[in-house]
Amino acid sequence: MAKYVYGIDLGTTYSCIAYVDESGRANVIKNLEGTNTTPSVVNFASPNQVVVGQVAKETAVIDPKNTVSLVKTLMGKSNFAINYNDEDKSPEEVSAYILRKLAEDAAKEIDAEVKDVVITCPAYFGTAERTATKNAGIIAGLNVLEIISEPVAAAIYYGCTKEPEEKTILVYDLGGGTFDVTIMSINSEKIEIICSDGDHDLGGKDWDSATMRYLADEFASQKSYDGDFDEYAQQDLRLKAEKAKQQLSAKEKTPVIVEAAGERARIDFSREKFDEITFSLLNSTVDKTDAAIAVAEKRGFKVDEILLVGGSTRMPQVTRVLEEKYGIKPKILEPDEAVAKGAAIHAVNVYINDQPTLSKWDEDNKGSVTSDSVLDPSNSVEQLSVDPAMMSIGGKKRSIVVATTKSFAVEAIVNKEPKCCNMIIKNNSMPDGVITVSQTFGTYIANQETAEIVVYESDFMDEYFDIDKDYEIGTATLELPDNLPSGAPIEIILSLNSEGILEVTGKDLTSNKEIHATMQSKNIMTSEEVEDLRKKSQQMVLM
Ligand code: AMP
């Protein structure tokens, strides 16, 4: 059987899987319904059956209570996505069904095993969200080679990494539920993320909602109707609004038939009207883009190219505004597929180059992968059906220099007031995949018995910010020797790796006593929970 590795774009509204074939081309693999992308919608049909994709999206109209959409917006933030059959389902479990649908359909479509995957996530995802994404892959029974950022995958697909000269690229990614802007410096050997920003609650769905409001108002005035739309009419309106929005990407006008309360109205919807009612949404993406450009410019980078990714960049308003504002004609190429294809190309790269990492990953996760997924470094290159030389990556390792996606702070008394003191700041470069920062604080009172190191993860970039327990990710307690005066030096070292794992060291410099702790963000499942869910969810039949 041919051996391939895969790239999966686990999107907020649509997901996609791709692989690199024997000719070195990245291809998207169709699902069993025959489409290149699969709606990221899951419907719990019975205690042992789940429906994923287009059918689930349509079922949402008649069974909204048992259907989950936009689950990606919950990843790493909550342990709860839906209650079905008196059982709380986590976002990881729900996402795992989407991944399984992609993997199982792809395996049938190309008649090959789908096991080793690179999954993508937004660049601004922090530790919790990335770990949740990886856990979803494990629950789906996949071997997750790496989680990479969507804009990095897109840049790999656009071929930006093939050019030897250094370029600064801005990736504007407007998907169904998220907006992400990333600036990278790229050449054939290295991709360095300079900064990224985004809004994980802004995407095509908001353009749909604006359209729904407009259509509902027009319906109300045409039919002199002042009641609400019931659940069925709302879902129906949402599907029609999305369709109308997509049609306006190709033509100037489209008719929409709105049905509610037993009445029907025909509304003529124009692109001009659509642009007008969604102007503020587009503007907020431009504000984020401006902010990212300002950060990059401060560090001496000037944007050379703009790449568009995400289905919503098909809206002509996006290209128009970006070109007007920045004087660069954005490049747009298969916006729904670029991320999955780039991830597939990267998967080949990782598979060939990172065998020690893979073996180590297997060791670390004993029990959560089956023995047949343990890779043998000596023959893995031969195993792959694609020759990397044909892909012009030539088996060479391309380094990806990431930047911190979050700021990390510790609690300290500043001017007699407790404050969070940022030690690692968001968008700092991590040249070797690690960033280590040390700072020395003093004990607050004499004879202090312990030093409590309270760590916070946030998007704040100032040196200090007010304490907010919502951002707390963990605590480490350092026992102190007797009779310390106030102001006795305590060194705190924070070390963050590219997987987002934070190691905390507290050192009492008087006695040289140390404490080490690994911080997990909130809402991260334990490996036992992941393993239990993997076993349990495998019993569910996908339809
Ligand atoms: P993604 O998350 O990248 O798959 O993007 C999905 C979003 O792209 C959804 O909100 C779609 O409605 C939107 N989309 C797809 N095709 C078009 C189109 N032709 N015009 C406007 N929006 C589109």
Side-chain angles (χ1 to χ4, degrees), residues 224-244:
S224 306
Y225 176 70
D226 62 1
D228 285 335
F229 278 45
D230 65 19
E231 209 164 21
Y232 174 82
Q234 281 279 352
Q235 288 284 357
D236 185 55
L237 188 61
R238 181 163 286 282
L239 293 180
K240 284 178 174 157
E242 185 182 10
K243 200 164 158 212

Side-chain angles (χ1 to χ4, degrees), residues 139-374:
I139 295 165
L142 299 169
N143 183 28
V144 184
L145 300 173
E146 200 172 303
I147 303 289
I148 62 163
S149 296
E150 289 154 8
V152 169
I156 291 172
Y157 180 62
Y158 271 88
C160 300
T161 52
K162 289 185 182 152
E163 294 164 28
E165 82 271 19
E166 192 130 337
K167 269 190 177 167
T168 303
I169 313 265
L170 182 146
V171 179
Y172 174 106
D173 180 355
L174 186 60
T178 54
F179 171 64
D180 196 350
V181 55
T182 306
I183 300 180
M184 293 176 281
S185 150
I186 285 189
N187 64 22
S188 54
E189 272 155 29
K190 201 174 82 174
I191 303 178
E192 180 170 358
I193 304 226
I194 299 162
C195 60
S196 62
D197 207 333
D199 183 339
H200 39 252
D201 197 20
L202 178 69
K205 67 176 173 61
D206 298 294
W207 273 255
D208 298 346
S209 299
T211 304
M212 284 171 74
R213 282 192 295 276
Y214 169 75
L215 294 173
D217 287 350
E218 286 295 300
F219 177 89
S221 73
Q222 264 191 36
K223 298 287 163 190
S224 306
Y225 176 70
D226 62 1
D228 285 335
F229 278 45
D230 65 19
E231 209 164 21
Y232 174 82
Q234 281 279 352
Q235 288 284 357
D236 185 55
L237 188 61
R238 181 163 286 282
L239 293 180
K240 284 178 174 157
E242 185 182 10
K243 200 164 158 212
K245 169 191 78 174
Q246 294 183 353
Q247 280 171 345
L248 289 181
S249 293
K251 43 188 198 173
E252 294 286 340
K253 271 194 168 73
T254 186
V256 188
I257 307 295
V258 177
E259 290 172 81
E263 300 237 45
R264 310 176 91 205
R266 179 194 152 110
I267 295 155
D268 288 312
F269 192 30
S270 70
R271 187 189 288 171
E272 198 183 345
K273 187 61 156 181
F274 175 66
D275 288 353
E276 182 192 316
I277 61 175
T278 56
F279 176 76
S280 62
L281 298 170
L282 187 65
N283 236 358
S284 37
T285 71
V286 172
D287 288 347
K288 291 266 179 206
T289 307
D290 278 345
I293 289 176
V295 172
E297 282 181 351
K298 231 173 158 181
R299 290 176 48 193
F301 293 95
K302 194 173 165 303
V303 173
D304 299 305
E305 271 181 30
I306 299 179
L307 310 184
L308 300 186
V309 185
S312 299
T313 58
R314 286 216 169 85
M315 296 185 293
Q317 54 175 249
V318 172
T319 310
R320 180 173 43 78
V321 157
L322 294 179
E323 192 173 354
E324 268 168 25
K325 174 112 208 225
Y326 304 112
I328 299 171
K329 194 172 174 53
K331 289 186 175 173
I332 183 162
L333 173 86
E334 304 173 66
D336 307 311
E337 300 177 6
V339 169
K341 288 180 174 177
I345 297 169
H346 187 65
V348 174
N349 203 340
V350 176
Y351 192 79
I352 295 163
N353 287 297
D354 282 1
Q355 297 308 320
T357 318
L358 295 178
S359 319
K360 184 173 174 298
W361 188 85
D362 279 337
E363 263 167 40
D364 291 346
N365 290 276
K366 265 198 185 103
S368 58
V369 284
T370 51
S371 60
D372 64 358
S373 71
V374 175

